[in-house]
Amino acid sequence: MDLNKYRLFADVAITKSFTRTAERTGYSQPGVSKMLKSLEDDLGITLFRRTKNGVFLTPNAEEILPTVRKLLNDNGILEQKVAAMNSLNSGHMTIACFASTSRIILPEIIHSYEEKYPGIGITLLEGGTDEIVNWVNDEAADFGILSRRNIDTLHFIPLMRDPLVAILPKEEPYTSMKEFDIKEFEQQPFIISAEGTDYDIHHMIQKTGIKPDTRLTSRDDHAIVSMVAAHLGISILPMLVVKDLLYMVHAIPLKPYFDREIGICYLDKGAVSPAAKNFMYLIREKFAENNASNS
C-alpha cells in the first residue's frame, strides 16, 4: 500500500485541484495525476470528476474519505511515536485555523517549534469556524485554533480573550471616539461577517437584540475592512483580525463590552499525535507567558 497516493487523494478532497495539491505537496501536476490514476486502478473505482469549477470527489470517493483520513492519521501517530523514541526528528501535522491566527499568532510559535523540531512538517488549513470544526472532526487536521462558540463536541483548551470592536472609517467623528454604542449600528449601513465564518458577532447581535441596517455580508475579514475604509458601511470584527490593519480603519471597544474566547480544539486526546501534542504545549506555554506579562 502506497500511503503517498492516499495522502494526495485526501489533499485533493480539500483543494479540489490537482495543480494546487501538487504545489502544496512538492509533486509535479502530471505526477499527482499519474499517482491518483494509479490509486483508482488499485481500488477499482473512479475517485474524481473533473468540472470547469475544479475536481470533485465521486460518491464512492466521499464514502471512503473518512476511512482514508483515519488511516493516514493512525499512520502518522505510529510514525511519530517511533520518531518520539528518536527525539521526534520526523513527522508532519496539520493545523486548522482562522486566517488571522495564521497571520498574527502562529508565525512566532512555528519559528520556535521548528527550532526544536526541524524535522516536523507543518500544513496550515485556513477557514471559518464551520470549516475548522469539520476538518478536525474529519481528521483532516490534527487540531484547530478557533473561538469556543459552536465547536460541536470537540474538546477545547482556552488561550486568550479577544475583544470585539467597532470597525469605523479613519476620520471624524469616529477617530475622537473611545468606545462605540452598539445601538448606533442600527443607524448606519452595516457590513457583517457571514454566519459559519464567525459566530461570535451574530451571537452578540442576537443577545443584545439590536437590528443593524445590514447592507453587505462577506466571508473575508480583509474585504470587510476594505469596505469600511471605502465608506460602504461600518462593522464589528475581533481585534485579532484587525490588529495589523489599523492603518486602514479606526477600531474601538463596543459599549457594552463583548469578546470571544480563542483556544485549541481537538477531537480526542488519544488521537493527537506526539508532534501535535508538543505544538499544543508550546502554544499554551507562549500564551501563559503573554498573560503573565500583561497582568
Side-chain angles (χ1 to χ4, degrees):
M1 178 183 290
D2 185 351
L3 289 181
N4 286 326
K5 296 177 184 178
Y6 289 96
R7 290 190 183 97
L8 293 175
F9 165 64
D11 197 77
V12 172
I14 294 170
T15 65
K16 298 179 175 56
S17 166
F18 285 5
T19 301
R20 191 170 172 210
T21 286
E23 293 170 350
R24 282 158 54 100
T25 57
Y27 288 91
S28 66
Q29 193 275 336
V32 170
S33 298
K34 183 177 180 180
M35 290 180 73
L36 291 177
K37 179 62 172 67
S38 173
L39 180 60
E40 289 181 320
D41 293 340
D42 292 344
L43 298 176
I45 60 175
T46 301
L47 297 174
F48 305 101
R49 55 185 179 87
R50 297 161 179 78
T51 74
K52 62 181 180 181
N53 296 319
V55 178
F56 296 89
L57 301 190
T58 63
N60 284 337
E62 292 281 4
E63 187 172 341
I64 69 170
L65 179 61
T67 304
V68 169
R69 283 175 169 162
K70 187 175 189 311
L71 169 68
L72 295 173
N73 186 64
D74 289 346
N75 182 73
I77 291 172
L78 173 62
E79 288 180 345
Q80 289 173 36
K81 282 184 176 178
V82 173
M85 298 172 188
N86 296 289
S87 303
L88 200 65
N89 56 16
S90 65
H92 188 274
M93 68 175 162
T94 299
I95 305 169
C97 58
F98 298 133
S100 56
T101 303
S102 67
R103 192 175 71 247
I104 297 170
I105 292 179
L106 289 182
E108 181 183 350
I109 298 172
I110 290 174
H111 177 70
S112 298
Y113 186 85
E114 289 185 337
E115 286 187 330
K116 294 182 70 174
Y117 309 108
I120 304 296
I122 300 173
T123 297
L124 300 180
L125 293 178
E126 296 177 348
T129 298
D130 286 352
E131 290 170 310
I132 295 171
V133 169
N134 288 337
W135 285 327
V136 175
N137 271 323
D138 293 343
E139 299 185 71
D142 291 270
F143 64 92
I145 304 174
L146 76 172
S147 165
R148 182 190 286 271
R149 199 169 303 283
N150 283 55
I151 62 168
D152 197 31
T153 58
L154 295 176
H155 300 282
F156 187 83
I157 302 171
L159 294 174
M160 64 176 288
R161 309 295 307 195
D162 183 23
L164 301 184
V165 292
I167 308 301
L168 311 164
K170 208 172 184 65
E171 61 182 33
E172 292 294 349
Y174 303 117
T175 50
S176 297
M177 296 179 178
K178 302 302 181 184
E179 59 182 9
F180 194 83
D181 192 319
I182 60 171
K183 292 181 181 178
E184 291 297 317
F185 289 112
E186 298 181 329
Q187 312 301 320
Q188 303 179 56
F190 187 68
I191 307 165
I192 192 168
S193 301
E195 194 163 5
T197 303
D198 187 333
Y199 284 101
D200 294 279
I201 295 165
H202 291 265
H203 172 76
M204 185 226 78
I205 290 171
Q206 183 179 18
K207 184 175 180 179
T208 57
I210 62 171
K211 301 187 185 305
D213 181 15
T214 303
R215 303 290 182 87
L216 294 164
T217 300
S218 177
R219 287 175 48 86
D220 187 327
D221 297 326
H222 272 74
I224 292 175
V225 170
S226 295
M227 287 189 280
V228 171
H231 300 87
L232 296 177
I234 59 177
S235 188
I236 302 170
L237 287 173
M239 189 63 193
L240 188 62
V241 169
V242 296
K243 191 173 181 180
D244 57 350
L245 299 172
L246 295 179
Y247 65 94
M248 296 177 64
V249 292
H250 185 52
I252 53 177
L254 301 175
K255 180 183 177 183
Y257 174 88
F258 282 90
D259 64 19
R260 63 176 183 171
E261 188 172 27
I262 297 294
I264 302 167
C265 69
Y266 60 96
L267 183 59
D268 182 82
K269 196 168 186 178
V272 178
S273 68
K277 283 181 181 176
N278 284 348
F279 196 95
M280 289 163 63
Y281 176 80
L282 186 60
I283 294 175
R284 296 172 71 181
E285 191 176 55
K286 289 288 186 182
F287 274 92
E289 291 174 3
N290 292 340
N291 292 337
S293 64
N294 292 332
S295 61

